[in-house]
Amino acid sequence: MQIDKTQGGWAIASLAIFAVLTVVYVAHARDVPSGPSGGSALGLVFGAIGFGFMIFAALLGARKRVPVWRIGRAQSWMRGHLWLGLLSLPVILFHGGFHFGGTLTSLLMWLLIITVVSGLFGAVLQHYVPRVMTTDVKLETIYDEIGSVQRSLREEADRSVEALCGSLGFGKSAKAEVQRAGGFSAARTMATASGGAAVAAAAETVVLSEEERAPLRKFYLSEMRPFLQQPKRWRARLANADQANGAFSGLRTLMPESAQATLEDLEDICDEARQLVRQKRLHHLLHGWLLVHIPLSLALILLGAVHAVMALRF
């Protein structure tokens, strides 16, 4: 969800509601010598309004799980979730006269504060992370297929190196190649069609001597293959774009002209592997905050209902 001018209507409405409720609260606080309280008539009204806002915000989850419910547009629900959820915090503070009260009410207030803060953090992430992903992950793929694509990249690299250095003893998977050809590699295939054709042609004709192939074989087995197997390793030289560029530049000076196209393809494979790691990290960042926000929201609603029942009965 982007935080842009489309949020204007909800932002203005929320500010107007906040202004009205603030005026009402201040006027009431002046007329009550002992200070406002949650048990007063106005305090109960504030509590009902604030809890209603929280219920609306919580219903977004139900709306997402049952998409056949044609109750308003999904974007409207998202904006209402953001703005009414945010507005619930000052309204509940008005409800209790800015006092946290006993154990249950104090727990509720802290739950509300943390839930609202985590929601704002998530809104900021949803605004900026997609932009970062568009810039940093130009070859983005379907998240659930990242593991298959990584295996396909590794197998393509094996074949390219084996074409010059002979068998490396690694297995191959036709299924993984089909998945890559129909998914993640489409953008790269179009962008490097001529380079790929050159590598394919070279793979059929180039035969390197033992001395010529030694630098590539050593580099691949000691650095590149381990990196492709565990691309998340921070200490791997190939995990850093600048260091990887330096590594391949040095390797090019040691390899004959007939191997240069293969080295270019291997460097592209490392770049794709880095982008996949970057995509996974951004995905976890974009969705990980929900592991905090959703459980706290559910606990807040349940304990809020308990608090309301206890307050009305006792």
Side-chain angles (χ1 to χ4, degrees):
M1 181 179 65
Q2 295 292 309
I3 303 176
D4 51 26
K5 62 181 180 181
T6 61
Q7 304 280 347
W10 279 98
I12 293 172
S14 299
L15 288 173
I17 294 172
F18 175 69
V20 171
L21 295 180
T22 300
V23 170
V24 172
Y25 175 80
V26 171
H28 173 69
R30 289 180 176 179
D31 295 337
V32 180
S34 59
S37 67
S40 64
L42 187 59
L44 292 175
V45 171
F46 279 131
I49 294 173
F51 192 61
F53 289 164
M54 288 189 286
I55 292 294
F56 178 87
L59 286 175
L60 174 64
R63 172 65 171 75
K64 285 185 174 180
R65 289 182 177 275
V66 190
V68 294
W69 288 0
R70 302 296 182 183
I71 307 175
R73 297 173 57 191
Q75 286 296 321
S76 297
W77 277 85
M78 287 291 294
R79 292 167 188 142
H81 176 87
L82 173 64
W83 291 102
L84 295 185
L86 177 61
L87 190 57
S88 65
L89 178 57
V91 175
I92 293 299
L93 287 173
F94 292 161
H95 160 66
F98 290 86
H99 299 294
F100 281 24
T103 302
L104 178 59
T105 52
S106 294
L107 177 60
L108 280 168
M109 284 304 308
W110 282 113
L111 275 176
L112 178 58
I113 291 171
I114 297 173
T115 300
V116 170
V117 171
S118 66
L120 290 174
F121 178 70
V124 172
L125 288 179
Q126 290 179 347
H127 180 75
Y128 286 106
V129 170
R131 297 183 179 184
V132 174
M133 190 171 294
T134 300
T135 303
D136 294 357
V137 188
K138 295 181 174 62
L139 297 174
E140 181 181 357
T141 189
I142 299 173
Y143 177 78
D144 292 336
E145 295 182 1
I146 288 179
S148 297
V149 175
Q150 288 174 326
R151 287 192 296 272
S152 298
L153 287 172
R154 189 165 61 246
E155 290 177 2
E156 181 183 343
D158 289 346
R159 287 193 297 274
S160 297
V161 175
E162 286 178 339
L164 298 177
C165 300
S167 177
L168 299 173
F170 299 123
K172 302 175 179 62
S173 170
K175 179 180 178 182
E177 171 61 19
V178 170
Q179 288 176 337
R180 182 167 187 254
F184 179 83
S185 65
R188 178 176 175 269
T189 301
M190 291 185 292
T192 62
S194 60
V199 172
E204 297 178 357
T205 59
V206 173
V207 177
L208 299 181
S209 66
E210 186 65 31
E211 183 179 354
E212 289 176 324
R213 73 180 67 166
L216 175 59
R217 186 181 183 91
K218 179 181 179 182
F219 169 78
Y220 187 72
L221 293 177
S222 63
E223 285 198 60
M224 184 169 174
R225 192 51 156 71
F227 167 70
L228 294 177
Q229 286 180 313
Q230 296 181 322
K232 290 184 178 181
R233 294 194 309 170
W234 285 96
R235 295 181 180 179
R237 181 166 57 155
L238 298 181
N240 180 280
D242 293 333
Q243 292 184 22
N245 181 62
F248 277 99
S249 295
L251 186 60
R252 285 191 182 93
T253 64
L254 302 176
M255 299 299 296
E257 182 64 28
S258 56
Q260 298 303 312
T262 298
L263 293 179
E264 182 178 350
D265 193 55
L266 292 175
E267 188 170 11
D268 288 342
I269 288 173
C270 288
D271 181 57
E272 291 183 25
R274 285 192 298 272
Q275 290 191 42
L276 287 173
V277 172
R278 180 66 168 161
Q279 181 182 347
K280 289 184 72 172
R281 288 173 180 154
L282 290 173
H283 180 89
H284 293 159
L285 180 63
L286 184 61
H287 299 280
W289 67 279
L290 292 172
L291 297 176
V292 174
H293 186 70
I294 292 178
L296 290 180
S297 299
L298 293 175
L300 180 63
I301 295 298
L302 291 175
L303 290 178
V306 171
H307 170 70
V309 171
M310 291 179 61
L312 291 175
R313 291 189 60 181
F314 304 104

